[in-house]
Amino acid sequence: MGANSSSISELPENEYLQKLSGSEPISENDPFWNQLLSFSFTTPTNSADLKLLEEATISVCKSLVEKNPRTGNLGSLIKVFLSRTKELKISAECQNHLFIWQAHNALFIICCLLKVFISRMSEEELQLHFTYEEKAGPSSYGTECEDLIEELLCCLIQLIVEIPLLDITYSISLEAVTTLIVFLSCQLFHKEILRESIIHRYLMHGRCLPYTSRLVKTLLYNFIRQERSPPPGTHVFQQQTDGGGLLYGIASGVATGLWTVFTLGGVGSKASAQLEQCSPLASQSLLLLLVLANLTDTPDTPNPYRQAIMSFKNTQDNTAFSSSNPHAFQINFNSLYTALCDQQKSDQATLLLYMLLHQNSNVRTYVLARTDIENLVLPILEILYHVEERNSHHVYMALIILLILTEDDGFNRSIHEVILKNITWYAERVLTEISLGSLLILVVIRTIQYNMTRTRDKYLHTNCLAALANMSAQFRSLHQYAAQRIISLFSLLSKKHNKVLEQATQSLRGSLGSNDSPLPDYAQDLNVIEEVIRMMLEIINSCLTNSLHHNPNLVYALLYKRDLFEQFRTHPSFQDIMQNIDLVISFFSSRLEQAGAELSVERVLEIIKQGAVALPKDRLRKFPELKFKYVEEEQPEEFFIPYVWSLVYNSAVALYWNPRDIQLFTMDSG
């Protein structure tokens, strides 16, 4: 890439770009456009080269911003692109490489220019630049302007949804998706969430609106199909022996080594490794879909892209669509499910899964009915297991997905029937055979313990415990290790409780002799720990009262560590919930005492199984069923919009923004 680097830095001196950004107006019919658009460009694949390209583009843009009000050359370039896209569908069918190649190049230049314009000016200023025409001076403001922005946006959407995806159209389809992301990128340069945006208004109203569901459907299918970029050279106009290469000679006049074959690359270390295994078009389409789905509603219109995501159905669903929903469409749920299972290593795919489970009841019902639910749950558990390597948002999304799934009793039953062999990524212990339910419990408990020692995030705790609570009544045949970890977590909480209690007591004694230093807030710490202990006791109690006879390993672990529970018997916060646990411990302890000393583990489990049948269930006090439902916080956009744009910033294919320009999030969260 060394030659490329020096070549990119020479771009501002390129005669064609100088003319575009110069003081001479260029008419739409000028042969100049053929010359400008006849290049083959290797898209930079690392952040250093992308940064160079950005700097070179800024240099051209500064001149264009200054001269465009008199020349209208930006508008002329856009009109040249628009005129060429009218024939794109036919060009694809006729394998007209040259035509598609030049249309792509026009869009590539537009996208590079727009990215800099948007990062350096307000939407109103950008809108004004679309109004300037060939003549020196603007046309009637608000007519030509709105037509040209709307026409370009509409053209990009049509290109994505109507042009068949072939080797020769792959790069222009990707560029259209990228340009729409760039159009929406003004959010990156605002600290606050944009609720009123000119570009949003165009996309949610007018000529773009009828394409809403087709755009969402196409972006979803791009994600599902994971089409890899074609081999270099297969989709670029090639020099022909019959004289068809008359426009190819520009290469030597620009910069050797730069205007070579157009190939697709990633955004550097973070993305390039992923892109070797996946599709740039799929990756970029998913990012655009997430951006569109998270646009804020306008006062008079709910976001139509979110409406489309909320309501699409399975292609095998023959029930009629509601006439009140113009955005409904059908998609193959089996293909969607497979793609979601395969792609969970990325934040983007996990966020899409969350959105679909939370917002689309058709998808949720379908997923919960799958008999191979482990294909979806295992990648989610892996995200949580590797919590140290993931960003906190990805962990939250994975956890909330589990919480949504555990709201369903059928799911909570079925996960204990799925038996897994050799979970290689679980390092703490060799798990040669374990149920999906037991593994889920192990991973969630491990997440709680990690959180207690590291991040101490109450939100994470709450969601972990809520998922365990939802499952607790349906715990079945718990693996001995899962049962041990439940009690070990309680032991850890108990020690923490005692430590904070001791600190609070010492602090209180010390403060009696001194009025100077403020007291640490041990009461709040104690309150939080007692809430968690209460929840753990409720989870254990729920399992004992609903499925004790199915869980001898949990009873065994309870008896083995029975001393732990002694201090909570008389504690006013836990007395009620301790009654059942105390009764179970007493009942089985007395049966074990009657059986004599020196009992083997097998004999103890046998006594527990026999005792489970004899235990008088009517003596166990009934508590309300533990059920927690995930509810999105108020103003969820305050969380999701910065998150989505941080994913775009870090993962978008061949897009670079100067980190100093970003206002929406701090760079360590991005």
Side-chain angles (χ1 to χ4, degrees):
M1 292 303 291
N4 246 14
S5 304
S6 59
S7 303
I8 294 171
S9 62
E10 290 164 18
L11 278 176
E13 280 73 56
N14 175 264
E15 59 178 298
Y16 299 102
L17 293 177
Q18 281 187 339
K19 186 170 179 182
L20 174 68
S21 59
S23 49
E24 290 295 314
I26 310 165
S27 83
E28 296 158 53
N29 305 315
D30 196 304
F32 162 82
W33 299 110
N34 275 344
Q35 296 167 325
L36 174 72
L37 303 178
S38 296
F39 62 80
S40 296
F41 183 67
T42 304
T43 303
T45 54
N46 63 51
S47 52
D49 283 348
L50 282 163
K51 189 177 177 186
L52 276 176
L53 178 61
E54 171 89 349
E55 286 162 4
T57 313
I58 287 169
S59 173
V60 174
C61 276
K62 277 182 180 170
S63 177
L64 188 60
V65 168
E66 185 189 331
K67 311 282 173 50
N68 188 54
R70 290 185 296 283
T71 65
N73 285 347
L74 177 66
S76 296
L77 171 62
I78 289 164
K79 286 171 191 170
V80 167
F81 168 70
L82 291 172
S83 69
R84 293 183 186 227
T85 55
K86 290 185 174 73
E87 307 299 325
L88 268 184
K89 205 169 182 182
I90 297 163
S91 299
E93 287 161 7
C94 302
Q95 295 281 304
N96 187 335
H97 290 239
L98 170 61
F99 203 86
I100 295 167
W101 176 43
Q102 290 199 338
H104 166 271
N105 288 349
L107 185 54
F108 176 76
I109 295 171
I110 289 167
C111 187
C112 286
L113 296 174
L114 272 177
K115 190 160 73 65
V116 175
F117 271 54
I118 287 166
S119 68
R120 301 197 160 227
M121 61 179 68
S122 68
E123 281 191 302
E124 289 73 21
E125 287 175 90
L126 176 71
Q127 194 177 36
L128 201 55
H129 273 280
F130 275 74
T131 69
Y132 299 129
E133 291 187 288
E134 244 178 89
K135 305 179 293 296
S139 65
S140 54
Y141 178 76
T143 53
E144 179 73 19
C145 147
E146 287 184 8
D147 283 352
L148 200 53
I149 291 188
E150 187 167 45
E151 215 172 317
L152 180 54
L153 287 167
C154 206
C155 172
L156 293 172
I157 294 171
Q158 286 169 334
L159 201 158
I160 294 164
V161 303
E162 290 177 356
I163 304 301
L165 189 60
L166 310 168
D167 278 1
I168 59 169
T169 60
Y170 191 98
S171 56
I172 195 166
S173 298
L174 175 60
E175 202 61 50
V177 172
T178 302
T179 308
L180 279 176
I181 291 174
V182 166
F183 252 124
L184 289 158
S185 65
C186 49
Q187 177 62 81
L188 280 171
F189 313 106
H190 290 82
K191 272 197 173 72
E192 70 289 349
I193 302 302
L194 289 182
R195 298 178 193 280
E196 290 289 323
S197 159
I198 292 167
I199 304 302
H200 294 187
R201 201 157 59 237
Y202 280 124
L203 288 170
M204 292 205 218
H205 299 86
R207 289 174 56 195
C208 295
L209 188 61
Y211 291 95
T212 300
S213 57
R214 285 177 68 191
L215 179 57
V216 169
K217 184 176 183 175
T218 305
L219 295 174
L220 273 172
Y221 269 126
N222 285 350
F223 165 69
I224 288 167
R225 290 178 181 136
Q226 294 288 316
E227 292 279 355
R228 291 165 186 269
S229 55
T234 56
H235 55 303
V236 172
F237 171 63
Q238 299 295 314
Q239 189 163 8
Q240 294 162 6
T241 52
D242 61 1
L246 71 157
L247 297 173
Y248 208 66
I250 189 174
S252 59
V254 184
T256 309
L258 174 62
W259 306 114
T260 52
V261 178
F262 179 84
T263 55
L264 297 160
V267 286
S269 56
K270 287 191 180 177
S272 52
Q274 295 173 338
L275 287 172
E276 285 170 12
Q277 295 126 18
C278 71
S279 151
L281 180 62
S283 171
Q284 208 86 323
S285 294
L286 179 52
L287 288 169
L288 176 57
L289 184 64
L290 294 173
V291 169
L292 290 170
N294 285 285
L295 297 179
T296 53
D297 298 337
T298 59
D300 55 336
T301 318
N303 178 346
Y305 301 95
R306 191 181 304 125
Q307 299 289 107
I309 284 170
M310 287 169 69
S311 57
F312 69 82
K313 294 182 176 182
N314 194 352
T315 44
Q316 295 175 332
D317 186 345
N318 298 318
T319 56
F321 282 112
S322 162
S323 56
S324 63
N325 185 3
H327 306 301
F329 63 91
Q330 288 179 300
I331 211 158
N332 185 316
F333 277 18
N334 184 51
S335 305
L336 176 62
Y337 181 80
T338 304
L340 287 167
C341 293
D342 291 345
Q343 299 299 321
Q344 283 309 307
K345 283 188 173 63
S346 80
D347 281 67
Q348 297 91 287
T350 306
L351 183 51
L352 176 65
L353 175 59
Y354 159 76
M355 274 169 36
L356 294 177
L357 287 175
H358 178 55
Q359 297 176 0
N360 188 315
S361 58
N362 303 317
V363 173
R364 186 165 61 251
T365 302
Y366 175 85
V367 166
L368 288 166
R370 289 287 300 210
T371 53
D372 60 348
I373 194 72
E374 68 274 14
N375 291 341
L376 190 69
V377 175
L378 280 171
I380 297 297
L381 294 183
E382 248 191 287
I383 294 166
L384 290 175
Y385 184 81
H386 297 294
V387 60
E388 301 94 336
E389 300 159 27
R390 303 287 176 183
N391 70 67
S392 59
H393 287 29
H394 199 183
V395 172
Y396 283 151
M397 289 298 104
L399 202 48
I400 291 165
I401 286 165
L402 286 185
L403 181 54
I404 291 169
L405 293 173
T406 62
E407 289 169 18
D408 182 77
D409 283 343
F411 171 84
N412 295 331
R413 279 191 297 275
S414 67
I415 53 174
H416 293 288
E417 293 159 13
V418 177
I419 304 301
L420 306 165
K421 309 267 187 189
N422 299 318
I423 305 301
T424 52
W425 48 262
Y426 194 94
E428 278 84 343
R429 179 166 171 152
V430 176
L431 299 174
T432 49
E433 189 172 287
I434 190 169
S435 73
L436 180 61
S438 287
L439 181 64
L440 201 160
I441 291 163
L442 282 176
V443 172
V444 171
I445 285 175
R446 186 178 181 278
T447 309
I448 294 172
Q449 290 184 319
Y450 173 83
N451 188 42
M452 280 173 67
T453 55
R454 308 281 182 85
T455 49
R456 301 182 68 187
D457 184 327
K458 192 181 175 188
Y459 184 82
L460 203 68
H461 258 21
T462 306
N463 284 294
C464 284
L465 291 164
L468 287 176
N470 283 347
M471 293 188 289
S472 59
Q474 262 96 26
F475 283 172
R476 292 284 185 281
S477 307
L478 288 186
H479 190 282
Q480 63 180 52
Y481 185 50
Q484 283 168 22
R485 299 312 295 160
I486 291 171
I487 305 304
S488 294
L489 175 59
F490 187 80
S491 170
L492 190 69
L493 289 164
S494 171
K495 285 175 190 164
K496 203 165 177 62
H497 179 265
N498 293 343
K499 187 180 174 185
V500 174
L501 201 59
E502 192 182 321
Q503 286 172 331
T505 311
Q506 285 176 352
S507 173
L508 202 61
R509 283 192 194 123
S511 70
L512 294 176
S514 163
N515 297 324
D516 300 339
S517 55
L519 280 174
D521 196 357
Y522 289 115
Q524 191 182 349
D525 281 358
L526 204 59
N527 192 34
V528 170
I529 293 166
E530 288 185 357
E531 273 179 33
V532 177
I533 288 174
R534 169 90 195 179
M535 188 78 140
M536 280 304 296
L537 288 171
E538 286 180 350
I539 288 164
I540 295 166
N541 179 66
S542 170
C543 176
L544 296 177
T545 52
N546 290 286
S547 54
L548 181 142
H549 53 297
H550 291 298
N551 291 293
N553 283 329
L554 183 65
V555 176
Y556 183 98
L558 200 63
L559 293 171
Y560 190 73
K561 293 277 189 179
R562 62 191 130 191
D563 295 349
L564 274 179
F565 297 88
E566 194 63 38
Q567 62 171 313
F568 298 107
R569 286 173 66 187
T570 54
H571 193 293
S573 299
F574 311 121
Q575 265 180 321
D576 58 339
I577 205 81
M578 275 301 301
Q579 284 176 20
N580 287 344
I581 295 169
D582 205 27
L583 186 137
V584 167
I585 289 171
S586 303
F587 177 82
F588 284 100
S589 294
S590 78
R591 290 182 81 92
L592 289 174
E593 281 166 21
Q594 288 166 24
E598 302 298 321
L599 300 172
S600 67
V601 172
E602 291 75 18
R603 179 66 186 130
V604 172
L605 284 169
E606 195 182 317
I607 293 165
I608 288 169
K609 285 171 188 173
Q610 291 165 354
V613 180
L615 179 74
K617 302 285 188 296
D618 55 344
R619 287 178 60 194
L620 293 174
R621 180 181 163 189
K622 287 285 177 199
F623 284 85
E625 190 183 13
L626 285 182
K627 271 295 169 196
F628 293 88
K629 192 171 171 58
Y630 169 70
V631 180
E632 233 175 36
E633 306 241 339
E634 279 185 41
Q635 296 187 305
E637 64 275 9
E638 298 288 343
F639 171 87
F640 286 105
I641 290 177
Y643 180 32
V644 168
W645 278 106
S646 73
L647 297 179
V648 174
Y649 175 82
N650 283 316
S651 311
V653 181
L655 277 176
Y656 168 86
W657 284 277
N658 188 327
R660 290 195 299 273
D661 295 337
I662 306 300
Q663 296 290 316
L664 180 62
F665 47 81
T666 53
M667 293 319 297
D668 54 0
S669 72

